[in-house]
């Protein structure tokens, strides 16, 4: 496996959020094109990591970007970064597709699994700084903890699957994951 | 009120990463709807997912990717204008004693399930509605409505049983479980939950293997091939 967790190139987080807000406010196509250029290739990489073929991945990316276009008004930069918001849309879309596979007769009216409830937006935070701190904290995790995050989030593995895959006890997977999040939580505390 | 029994952290991580099956995803989401503490934890897990997405080595999209998407947006817009928004269906949960007690995330599946199945009596004082959700071959997902003072006979489970209280409360050997509380039992736990009188006791249960009754009723269950 290559290095654990790569860090993002320096794109201005505020810029991403501004583009989403421009799409929400006036259906701004140039802003959306910028979002597409930044997000779509990353989404495609994410879906391929999760086992999708390139063509299928491309189709799901189209769905996710369409949702971003349509739901731009529901984005709230105080609650989450654009990449976090995008991640949850892609993840929910994937869960929805898996569910349809299991139940081909699914009612087409069934709404996609709803986005998870957001935390209260009763705090104003320095969003750019918050995201930067989290990114640095992830990069500084010990490799065995960073690898677990990768397996869970990039490859959609359950803790039990990770335990089998890495031949370590389930309890160890859980405790390493806890340690990782304890560090991240400490770093993020001022922003929560 | 803040729940006392929370979703374990590993399930929050798996939910955030999209690794849980549909019924368990819904179970976690229903708890999140009732628990601010876990919502904050889950938001942190999702933020980690977002940062990781950001750090992925990009894979180029097809050259016409953006054009195709704009074409689709245009098509959708025209379609919407032509069809006009349909009247929103009646909201079946507004006047229903069960529906009104459900967190929004459970309402569509409840509405769909009661079209397909009826509430049936499990044991006296306990009724259940099978939920139309994909579960494993031996699993089940259901809503349970337990009358005050009644309960489920003593039982164990072959697998794990996740029970989220949506309203009211029940008590068993381990303590009290009220709205928002998640009870997790496995084959090591033999318990006999009893609902409190007062507010309707409504729970959302997901089992990954069938219940085994261990008291007198258990003998009947085994005789009947259960």
């Amino acid at each position: 496996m290559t290095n654990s967790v790569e860090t993002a190139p320096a794109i201005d987080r505020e810029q991403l959020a501004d583009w989403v807000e421009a799409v929400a406010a006036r259906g701004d196509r140039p802003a959306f094109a910028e979002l597409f250029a930044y997000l779509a290739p990353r989404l495609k990489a994410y879906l391929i990591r999760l086992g999708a073929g390139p063509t299928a991945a491309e189709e799901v990316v189209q769905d996710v970007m369409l949702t971003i276009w349509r739901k731009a008004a529901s984005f709230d930069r105080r609650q989450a970064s654009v990449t976090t918001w995008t991640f949850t849309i892609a993840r929910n879309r994937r869960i929805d597709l898996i569910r349809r596979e299991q139940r081909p007769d699914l009612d087409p009216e069934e709404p996609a699994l709803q986005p998870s409830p957001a935390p209260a937006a009763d705090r104003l935070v320095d969003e750019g700084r918050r995201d930067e701190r989290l990114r640095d904290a992830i990069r500084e995790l010990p490799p065995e903890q960073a690898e677990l995050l990768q397996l869970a989030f990039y490859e959609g593995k359950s803790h039990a699957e990770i335990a089998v895959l890495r031949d370590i006890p389930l309890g160890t997977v859980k405790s390493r994951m806890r340690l990782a999040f304890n560090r991240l939580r400490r770093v993020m505390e001022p922003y929560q | 009120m803040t729940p006392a029994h929370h979703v374990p952290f590993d399930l929050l991580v798996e939910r955030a990463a999209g690794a849980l099956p549909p019924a368990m995803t819904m179970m976690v989401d229903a708890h999140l709807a009732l628990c601010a503490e876990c919502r904050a934890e889950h938001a942190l897990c999702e933020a980690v997912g977002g940062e990781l997405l950001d750090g992925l080595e990009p894979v180029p999209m097809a050259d016409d990717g953006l054009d195709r998407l704009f074409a689709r947006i245009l098509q959708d817009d025209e379609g919407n204008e032509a069809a006009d928004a349909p009247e929103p269906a009646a909201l079946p949960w507004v006047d229903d004693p069960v529906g009104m007690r459900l967190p929004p995330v459970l309402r569509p599946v409840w509405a769909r399930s009661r079209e397909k199945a009826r509430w049936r009596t499990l044991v006296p004082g306990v009724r259940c509605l099978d939920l139309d959700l994909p579960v494993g071959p031996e699993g089940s997902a259901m809503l349970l409505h337990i009358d005050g003072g009644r309960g489920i006979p003593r039982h164990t489970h072959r697998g794990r049983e996740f029970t989220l209280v949506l309203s009211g409360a029940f008590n068993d050997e381990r303590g009290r479980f009220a709205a928002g509380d998640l009870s997790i039992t496995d084959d090591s736990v033999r318990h006999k939950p009893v609902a409190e009188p007062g507010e309707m006791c409504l729970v959302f249960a997901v089992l990954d293997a069938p219940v085994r009754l261990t008291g007198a009723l258990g003998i009947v269950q085994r005789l009947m091939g259960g």
Side-chain angles (χ1 to χ4, degrees), chain A residues 5-6 13 38 41-42 44-45 58-59 62-63 70 83 87 91 103 110 116 152 154 159 174 178 181 185, chain B residues 9-10 14 16-17 19 41 45-46 51-52 54-55 57 59-60 62 65 68-69 72 76 112 132 134:
Chain A
V5 183
E6 294 295 332
R13 300 310 185 89
Y38 186 78
R42 286 173 172 78
K44 188 172 174 184
E58 191 115 2
E59 288 312 308
Q62 292 267 336
D63 291 348
R70 286 198 190 133
T83 49
F87 166 76
R91 174 204 62 192
R103 286 169 22 101
E110 167 70 12
S116 36
Y154 284 163
H159 288 39
K174 288 188 188 183
R178 269 194 175 282
F181 274 96
R185 195 178 298 112
Chain B
F9 189 69
D10 53 315
E14 290 176 350
E41 286 282 279
C45 297
E46 289 188 326
E51 287 304 323
L52 291 174
D54 215 23
E57 187 62 40
V59 176
R68 278 208 298 139
L69 188 53
R72 201 169 145 193
D76 274 14
R112 190 173 74 226
D132 185 26

